[in-house]
């Protein structure tokens, strides 16, 4: 059994983080700052960088961005590790969007290369492991259950014969069975859900599994958005291009807002992008629940022992291989060498790095836990935030909602528009993020 201790980075080698740039002043603490800024921005991730960049370009505002971490980019942060591979510290990030506004915006800050993400699952239903497309599609049911479906109509009939009729599912299991039927539920969703949330589907809200994807066609792409791409030089470079050369934007890293709050310069507006419950910790309300992740890194040379690899130069056949069954504790293995935005020398390397991913209930907040108690608690925090003078709460942590990257960009752009216009504008309906993949 893998022990997930208090040190959440014990499983990753962070000794070398190359490939990015920074200004030395970012690490000078609170020295050499102005007495007043238009915006004090807490968090150097998507929301914070959007606010600073838009504030400067549109209104000429001066911003101070602080972050308790030692890098910019939030959870999108990536770097070149000691083996020469571009990896992400907080798990694999895939950019995809249907929002033209977001696509046009991110293209201002770097070159992007087309990439369509495909996820496979390593599944055993009693005949040995088979690698099949995730989300389930025609090939999935044909390979696992010998369904022999060849058209969308046949796939729909196969599913209809198995789906459990239920107009009012009361929990996640009932919800999943109405979408997938028992075979796919047991093989793909049941145990993966338990590993991800540490709760069986019947212990979760019906909403958690209400949107599980089951496809009737042969499309094996994980996303169907019209814009799918990776930044050629990594995500961190995008954030550097947003804020680094702008004289209106000052950055200070390794600065904890809550510890240094009384020592910060004055500002017309505080933009808070952290967990909303952390902001109100002194109020005595309970903490909101999150699920977190742990990553365990391994280096492999697939052909080093003379054994012939089925995937020469690689550990596995794809970037992301899910393990939905109960036989291993991790949920997936990510092999970044498959990403086309790797440095050229990394693509030619004989070795490779993989990251086994585990879900846990302590550490960096990744996924809000959707249940009635948390929704009710968040509504209390929302009411406090609505009446907080001089503070704008923005982003996934402040909203207690999982955002895809494009949703986070759009949320920040639209929230900035509201602040700029001093009123509530019409928000785009973002829908639900992908959540745990």
């Amino acid at each position: 059994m893998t022990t997930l201790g208090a040190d959440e980075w014990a499983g990753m080698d962070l000794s070398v983080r190359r490939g990015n740039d920074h200004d030395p002043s970012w690490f000078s603490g609170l020295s050499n700052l102005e007495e007043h800024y238009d915006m004090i921005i807490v968090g150097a991730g998507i929301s914070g960088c959007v606010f600073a960049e838009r504030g400067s370009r549109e209104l000429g505002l001066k911003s101070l961005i602080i972050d308790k971490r030692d890098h910019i980019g939030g959870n999108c942060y990536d770097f070149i590790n000691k083996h020469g591979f571009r990896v992400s510290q907080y798990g694999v990030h895939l950019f995809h969007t249907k929002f033209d506004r977001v696509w046009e915006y991110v293209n201002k800050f770097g070159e992007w290369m087309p990439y369509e993400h495909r996820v496979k699952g390593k599944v055993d239903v009693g005949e040995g492991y088979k690698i099949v497309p995730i989300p389930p599609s025609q090939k999935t049911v044909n390979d696992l259950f010998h369904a022999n479906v060849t058209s969308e109509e046949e796939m729909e009939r196969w599913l209809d014969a198995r789906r459990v009729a239920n107009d009012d599912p009361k929990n996640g299991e009932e919800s999943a069975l109405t979408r997938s039927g028992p075979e796919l539920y047991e093989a793909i969703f049941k145990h993966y859900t338990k590993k991800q949330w540490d709760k069986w589907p019947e212990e979760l809200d019906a909403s958690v599994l209400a949107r599980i994807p089951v496809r009737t066609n042969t499309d094996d792409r994980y996303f169907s958005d019209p814009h799918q791409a990776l930044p050629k030089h990594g995500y961190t470079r995008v954030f550097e291009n947003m804020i680094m050369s702008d004289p209106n934007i000052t950055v200070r890293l390794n600065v904890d807002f809550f510890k240094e709050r009384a020592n910060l310069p004055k500002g017309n507006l505080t933009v808070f992008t952290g967990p909303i419950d952390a902001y109100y910790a002194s109020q005595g309300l309970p903490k909101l629940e999150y699920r977190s992740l742990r990553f365990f890194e391994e280096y492999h040379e697939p052909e080093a022992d003379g054994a012939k690899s089925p995937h020469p130069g690689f550990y596995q056949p794809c970037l992301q291989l899910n393990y939905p069954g109960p036989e291993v504790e991790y949920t997936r293995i990510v092999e970044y060498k498959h990403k086309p935005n790797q440095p050229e020398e990394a693509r030619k390397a004989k070795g490779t790095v993989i990251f086994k991913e585990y879900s846990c209930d302590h550490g960096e907040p990744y996924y809000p836990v959707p249940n009635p108690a948390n929704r009710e608690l968040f509504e209390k925090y929302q009411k406090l935030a609505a009446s907080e003078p001089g503070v704008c709460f923005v982003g996934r942590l402040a909203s207690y909602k999982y955002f895809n990257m494009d949703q986070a960009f759009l949320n920040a752009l639209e929230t900035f528009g509201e602040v700029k216009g001093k009123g509530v504008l019409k928000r785009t309906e973002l829908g639900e993020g992908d959540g745990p993949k």
Side-chain angles (χ1 to χ4, degrees), residues 107-353:
N107 272 273
K108 297 175 187 285
F109 307 108
E111 184 179 350
W112 294 72
M113 55 199 307
Y115 174 74
E116 293 182 330
H117 188 48
R118 287 170 168 82
V119 176
K120 305 292 185 185
K122 194 168 184 179
V123 185
D124 183 3
V125 292
E127 299 178 351
Y129 276 122
K130 296 180 181 180
I131 294 177
V132 297
I134 303 289
S137 62
Q138 290 182 25
K139 180 171 174 51
T140 309
V141 299
N142 285 341
D143 288 356
L144 293 180
F145 309 116
H146 310 287
N148 298 318
V149 300
T150 58
S151 68
E152 291 194 48
E153 292 76 14
E154 289 180 5
M155 181 67 174
E156 196 66 56
R157 286 197 295 271
W158 188 91
L159 287 168
D160 284 344
R162 290 158 174 80
R163 286 169 171 155
V164 178
N166 188 340
D167 293 333
D168 185 25
K170 303 299 184 186
N171 57 53
E173 179 177 271
E174 292 181 5
S175 181
L177 290 171
T178 66
R179 297 272 294 138
S180 68
E183 289 100 325
L184 283 174
Y185 170 69
E186 289 285 339
I188 305 292
F189 300 113
K190 179 179 179 178
H191 298 282
Y192 193 87
T193 300
K194 172 66 165 116
K195 290 195 286 188
Q196 185 67 49
W197 297 103
D198 196 28
K199 288 180 173 63
W200 291 106
E202 62 264 29
E203 299 177 88
L204 291 167
D205 276 5
S207 63
V208 178
L209 283 87
R211 292 170 301 278
I212 59 170
V214 179
R215 294 191 177 146
T216 58
N217 57 23
T218 58
D219 186 355
D220 65 346
R221 297 176 303 161
Y222 198 86
F223 310 113
S224 57
D225 294 306
H227 308 296
Q228 303 184 43
L230 294 173
K232 184 175 181 179
H233 301 290
Y235 289 108
T236 308
R237 180 68 57 84
V238 172
F239 293 95
E240 292 170 358
N241 292 340
M242 289 174 72
I243 65 174
M244 190 166 172
S245 60
D246 193 323
N248 286 331
I249 300 173
T250 301
V251 178
R252 292 292 188 268
L253 302 177
N254 293 325
V255 174
D256 188 316
F257 171 72
F258 298 108
K259 293 180 180 178
E260 300 291 349
R261 197 171 184 174
N263 303 318
L264 293 174
K266 303 299 181 185
N268 295 342
L269 177 70
T270 297
V271 179
F272 186 79
T273 72
I276 191 170
D277 56 335
Y279 189 90
Y280 291 107
S282 63
Q283 298 279 346
L285 291 172
K287 291 183 67 174
L288 291 163
E289 284 184 280
Y290 283 93
R291 293 294 287 169
S292 190
L293 299 173
R294 291 287 189 277
F295 308 97
F296 285 79
E297 177 179 351
E298 297 177 6
Y299 175 77
H300 292 269
E301 293 184 5
E303 282 110 8
D305 299 325
K308 188 172 182 179
S309 169
H311 321 291
F314 293 92
Y315 180 85
Q316 62 189 29
C318 53
L319 169 63
Q320 178 181 331
L321 187 60
N322 285 9
Y323 287 76
E327 64 278 1
V328 295
E329 295 174 80
Y330 47 86
T331 56
R332 60 181 179 175
I333 295 178
V334 172
E335 184 177 16
Y336 286 98
K337 190 177 182 180
H338 287 278
K339 273 193 167 186
N341 66 345
Q342 289 292 347
E344 184 176 355
E345 58 271 22
R347 295 198 298 270
K348 297 177 180 177
K350 63 180 180 180
T352 185
V353 287

